[in-house]
Amino acid sequence: MTFTVLFASSPMNLREADESYMEEYRSAEKAGFAVGLIDLEELLMNNDPQKALKRVALHPGPEPQSALYRGWMLRPDEYENLYAALLTRNLRLIHTPGQYRHVHYLPESYPKIEDVTPKSMWFPLPTPVSIDAAENLAAEAVRVFDNHPIIVKDYVKSRKHEWDEACYIPDASDESKVRQTVRRFLELQGSQLNEGLVFRAFTELEALSRHPLSGMPLSREIRVFVLDGNPIFVSTYWEAGEDAAFNAVLGEFQEIIRSIESRFFTIDFAKTNKGPWIVLELGDGQVAGLPDDTNAERFYTELKKSLEKGVG
Ligand SMILES: Nc1ncnc2c1ncn2[C@@H]1O[C@H](COP(=O)(O)OP(=O)(O)O)[C@@H](O)[C@H]1O
Ligand SMILES: [Mg+2]
């Protein structure tokens, strides 16, 4: 079965992939995938699926053919629109909207990773958000963390680049700092807020350095792409011997990895100061970025090989 990989077209030239995904587009094609372009603006802003898919042919056959999207994160309702639109071309994305949501929203998959990820709690927020009301809810909610350090994010993203003002709270019992950080986070997220607020116990990670501009700690973190329960791509290059050590670590997470209700996802690991590796977050494989320095050709070649093995 052939998989089609769909990318967003460039707003400047609808015949080309958007600049940010150009290298991936070329690499996917080179690896032997069928590739396609969708005009996301028509789909998501103008709500015109037929125009958005002008360049995607109807795939003949009794059953929909397989496709996957590679691009920016979509809200679950946007993903659902894309999923439905592609079905009119007889293409079916690798994940149903439900599967997308399962991995995209931390609270949805949290029960699966609970034992290996920092303790977290959350609550949804109505739109439009009342920042005052959110602050009050937050002040109440973080009591479970006592006086421990915590971080704040929404159901999907943090403001890690505004670490001190909008992400990290050194002491959860410091109510004014909690309120201030939550306020700043919500101001910065604005209409991009995903669903609600998440608070997580901060865990000291093995430090590499600090981001020179934002002060965000840079730690030993590794993104692993998983397909059908098997790690297919590990995001880093290694110093001698380290890959074997990390493979052993991965083995210990195998059962959890297999329990995630998604064919294609990322799992981000970090090494704690105390020693053990923990899981930081999951992401849908269609919208998770390739880490810097990733060799895109190698990524798509591995993906192709693994998809062919899986769909037999
Ligand atoms: N609970 C935590 N303990 C320590 N560091 C954390 C924790 N959560 C996040 N971080 C740090 O903040 C970064 C961003 O957090 P993450 O949950 O991955 O949000 P994003 O979705 O914005 O990438 C992580 O890569 C990690 O360095
Ligand atoms: Mg992250």
Side-chain angles (χ1 to χ4, degrees):
M1 196 191 283
T2 50
F3 256 84
T4 302
V5 187
L6 296 155
F7 294 89
S9 51
S10 156
M12 321 292 279
N13 178 357
L14 298 176
R15 289 163 199 281
E16 275 185 358
D18 188 275
E19 204 187 334
S20 314
Y21 288 93
M22 185 76 93
E23 195 196 346
E24 289 200 33
Y25 179 92
R26 290 206 188 107
S27 302
E29 203 173 23
K30 202 162 169 189
F33 282 107
V35 286
L37 293 173
I38 40 188
D39 186 345
L40 273 187
E41 214 172 284
E42 288 297 345
L43 182 73
L44 304 178
M45 301 216 261
N46 303 339
N47 201 13
D48 189 342
Q50 289 319 311
K51 217 164 164 191
L53 298 187
K54 213 174 115 186
R55 280 167 218 288
V56 180
L58 176 68
H59 287 61
E63 281 289 316
Q65 293 188 22
S66 303
L68 67 90
Y69 161 75
R70 277 289 304 162
W72 291 280
M73 288 184 177
L74 302 173
R75 292 195 315 260
D77 61 308
E78 294 174 332
Y79 183 84
E80 198 163 348
N81 287 342
L82 178 63
Y83 187 85
L86 287 169
L87 279 177
T88 70
R89 295 291 191 273
N90 210 26
L91 284 173
R92 182 157 54 208
L93 286 175
I94 187 164
H95 299 142
T96 63
Q99 289 165 330
Y100 179 79
R101 196 187 149 96
H102 173 65
V103 166
H104 192 56
Y105 282 166
L106 177 71
E108 298 262 332
S109 48
Y110 182 76
K112 308 266 186 191
I113 56 174
E114 194 171 1
D115 293 343
V116 292
T117 201
K119 177 172 148 186
S120 308
M121 67 86 49
W122 57 83
F123 50 84
L125 287 172
T127 38
V129 171
S130 151
I131 296 192
D132 288 334
E135 261 188 36
N136 291 336
L137 288 169
E140 189 67 33
V142 300
R143 289 199 185 152
V144 296
F145 295 105
D146 198 12
N147 61 355
H148 287 278
I150 54 176
I151 66 126
V152 60
K153 60 186 291 187
D154 65 22
Y155 281 24
V156 180
K157 289 303 287 178
S158 69
R159 303 286 316 191
K160 59 191 170 200
H161 294 290
E162 287 99 359
W163 185 253
D164 287 317
E165 53 172 322
C167 189
Y168 179 62
I169 301 169
D171 174 353
S173 68
D174 179 349
E175 188 175 322
S176 75
K177 176 67 179 165
V178 170
R179 286 176 177 274
Q180 208 185 328
T181 312
V182 164
R183 171 167 294 268
R184 193 68 191 127
F185 176 76
L186 291 172
E187 283 168 2
L188 289 166
Q189 285 298 72
S191 62
Q192 304 296 308
L193 182 78
N194 295 288
E195 220 56 29
L197 288 175
V198 175
F199 297 93
R200 317 197 70 191
F202 175 80
T203 312
E204 294 282 347
L205 304 177
E206 205 173 278
L208 293 178
S209 61
R210 264 178 193 266
H211 195 283
L213 295 177
S214 68
M216 170 179 73
L218 299 173
S219 350
R220 275 191 69 187
E221 293 173 30
I222 290 168
R223 171 160 292 182
V224 177
F225 282 81
V226 176
L227 183 83
D228 295 326
N230 299 310
I232 59 158
F233 194 86
V234 178
S235 73
T236 188
Y237 62 87
W238 302 97
E239 297 186 17
E242 281 189 329
D243 50 348
F246 187 69
N247 279 340
V249 171
L250 260 180
E252 289 167 26
F253 288 88
Q254 191 62 272
E255 205 176 312
I256 288 166
I257 287 175
R258 293 252 152 102
S259 76
I260 308 297
E261 292 157 35
S262 168
R263 284 193 65 189
F264 180 43
F265 63 96
T266 54
I267 177 162
D268 292 343
F269 292 93
K271 174 112 169 34
T272 61
N273 246 350
K274 289 194 183 132
W277 288 84
I278 58 168
V279 171
L280 279 180
E281 61 171 350
L282 305 179
D284 189 284
Q286 299 174 102
V287 300
L290 300 185
D292 297 345
D293 303 326
T294 298
N295 179 327
E297 277 186 27
R298 196 163 74 75
F299 173 76
Y300 280 96
T301 304
E302 288 300 325
L303 182 59
K304 180 96 175 29
K305 213 168 65 190
S306 308
L307 281 168
E308 276 163 6
K309 247 190 282 170
V311 189

